[in-house]
Amino acid sequence: MQEKTHTHREDPEPAVPGLDLPGLRTDVDRALEDFLRQRATELATIDEDLVVQLDYVVDLISGGKRLRPAFAYWGWRGAGGEPDDARMIVAAAALELLQAAALVHDDVMDDSDTRRGRPAVHKRFATLHGERGWEGPAERFGLGGALLLGDLCLCWSDEMLRGCGLPPDRLLPAFGYFDTMRTEVMAGQYLDLVTQASGSTSLPRAMRVVRYKSAKYTVERPLHLGGALAGAGPDLLSAYSAYGLPLGEAFQLRDDILGVFGDPTVTGKPAGDDLREGKRTVLAAKALEAATPAQVRRFERWFGDPATGSQGVTELREIIVATGALAAVERMISDLTAQASQALARAPLADEGARDALARLARAATDRTG
């Protein structure tokens, strides 16, 4: 395998405050490189056609913000974990492989063309099929390859956490949270599918999808994982929920706004993609809830049509602004972030440096452009 397979490309995104305080991002990247180097040897031993799987995984994880490992690490520090324990870095890095699995499957379900400025994994497998001149439909091969790669990343996340080197009496409770996190994100993904298929415009349903598809596994459960690995007690774990759940919801609401109004050169996704896909987000639910009958007709004319061009995207954005939906979701983000900040101020942390880092991470998660 060529050396490029094992080396993360320079990330085009700006550094996230809270990640680089102890050189955390570099350490997480190194842990992932070491783990994937070992997996590369295993795959190459089986068959050379498997090498491409590793290439796609490396490319996919090279563009991440490393938010989940950061929350896990500072959850560990907040519970009194040692700052320089390499075993915790490996455990935290495992969350990037869980995230990779979720992204690959999410792009299949949404039939997304791109992810982080590159072709989505199922598109890359379809292109590979065409380039090799293989038999059968390229699209079907692409979907199958992506599903298997997502499952492989899910297996690897488990393997990386289990092999981090921390003692069994700490790993066992941590795996309880890891298992719950995986169940919750799969439940959230299915609820998202149901919401899309049913055409639901229910705001409570949209918020339930936000909570289980993204919020819990982005902030709350990584904090629990890190805290459990450091032996956190119930009071601190409850405080992590009080901080992490509203912050995770605010993070996803910001993501929903960026999916409609974001700069594609920063987000890595085409402008207005969520509108063309007809994503039943809180932003869309708020717009339809406040829209006049005429605005609803105009909205439904373009919303969910893959062929919607710049004119349709512009009109949908105008309706979202005119109905007050954008302002309402911005207020929700502000209120949820304030709620998280108040909970953080009260949290019984063992390390005040962790409190500062978590405050910085809260700003990074909600006040961002990509």
Side-chain angles (χ1 to χ4, degrees):
M1 183 176 299
Q2 297 177 359
E3 183 63 26
K4 74 176 182 65
T5 302
H6 306 303
T7 303
H8 288 271
R9 295 191 178 96
E10 184 178 352
D11 196 313
E13 299 172 349
V16 177
L19 285 180
D20 293 322
L21 295 181
L24 178 58
R25 183 176 190 124
T26 299
D27 291 343
V28 167
D29 286 351
R30 187 177 296 117
L32 286 166
E33 289 168 4
D34 290 346
F35 178 83
L36 292 176
R37 186 176 294 112
Q38 297 171 40
R39 304 293 80 70
T41 302
E42 292 175 5
L43 293 178
T45 300
I46 298 172
D47 194 288
E48 63 179 13
D49 273 335
L50 298 174
V51 170
V52 72
Q53 291 185 308
L54 210 352
D55 291 337
Y56 291 176
V57 172
V58 169
D59 283 348
L60 180 63
I61 66 174
S62 69
K65 299 178 182 66
R66 307 294 186 253
L67 278 174
R68 290 161 189 84
F71 282 116
Y73 174 81
W74 289 109
W76 156 274
R77 289 285 301 276
E82 291 295 324
D84 298 321
D85 195 321
R87 298 172 300 177
M88 180 56 209
I89 299 297
V90 174
L95 294 177
E96 281 298 299
L97 292 171
L98 173 59
Q99 166 72 347
L103 294 179
V104 171
H105 289 163
D106 197 48
D107 286 343
V108 167
M109 289 185 286
D110 291 344
D111 194 23
S112 298
D113 290 329
T114 60
R115 169 66 64 177
R116 293 172 175 166
R118 301 187 181 101
V121 168
H122 62 286
K123 299 294 184 182
R124 296 189 70 175
F125 274 116
T127 299
L128 175 69
H129 181 283
E131 290 173 348
R132 300 287 175 87
W134 289 337
E135 298 179 356
E139 182 179 346
R140 185 173 182 83
F141 177 85
L143 294 175
L147 290 172
L148 290 169
L149 188 64
D151 290 348
L152 184 61
C153 288
L154 193 60
C155 294
W156 281 347
S157 68
D158 187 288
E159 182 179 352
M160 192 173 188
L161 176 58
R162 191 174 62 251
C164 71
L166 286 165
D169 63 321
R170 293 293 175 82
L171 277 175
L172 188 60
F175 257 100
Y177 287 109
F178 191 58
D179 291 339
T180 298
M181 175 168 52
R182 289 181 290 181
T183 296
E184 287 171 344
V185 73
M186 298 304 171
Q189 290 277 32
Y190 182 71
L191 284 179
D192 191 28
L193 276 180
V194 171
T195 302
Q196 293 299 115
S198 66
S200 171
T201 58
S202 163
L203 185 57
R205 168 55 71 90
M207 280 302 298
R208 190 172 299 119
V209 171
V210 164
R211 174 168 290 196
Y212 287 97
K213 183 180 175 181
S214 181
K216 280 180 167 286
Y217 104 104
T218 297
V219 185
E220 183 194 23
R221 296 310 185 192
L223 286 167
H224 285 163
L225 178 72
L229 287 169
D235 288 348
L236 180 55
L237 293 170
S238 294
Y240 281 163
S241 290
Y243 160 81
L245 193 53
L247 180 60
E249 291 176 347
F251 169 85
Q252 184 56 45
L253 292 175
R254 174 61 63 203
D255 218 45
D256 291 345
I257 289 176
L258 292 173
V260 174
F261 295 97
D263 180 350
T265 63
V266 179
T267 64
K269 300 278 282 184
D273 241 21
D274 283 2
L275 299 173
R276 295 185 185 91
E277 293 171 12
K279 297 293 288 183
R280 301 288 171 172
T281 62
V282 171
L283 191 64
K286 283 281 189 183
L288 289 169
E289 182 180 66
T292 65
Q295 287 174 323
V296 170
R297 288 193 295 271
R298 288 167 53 208
F299 196 90
E300 291 178 345
R301 175 186 176 190
W302 303 109
F303 189 64
D305 183 355
T308 295
S310 58
Q311 177 188 344
V313 168
T314 298
E315 188 165 349
L316 287 167
R317 287 171 173 164
E318 289 173 350
I319 294 170
I320 290 169
V321 173
T323 57
L326 177 59
V329 174
E330 288 285 4
R331 285 193 298 271
M332 291 176 68
I333 292 172
S334 179
D335 291 345
L336 287 164
T337 304
Q339 182 180 335
S341 297
Q342 292 164 9
L344 179 62
R346 299 188 299 267
L349 299 178
D351 184 336
E352 286 303 312
R355 197 182 312 274
D356 176 66
L358 290 171
R360 293 169 65 181
L361 280 168
R363 292 192 293 273
T366 57
D367 184 18
R368 59 194 171 91
T369 57

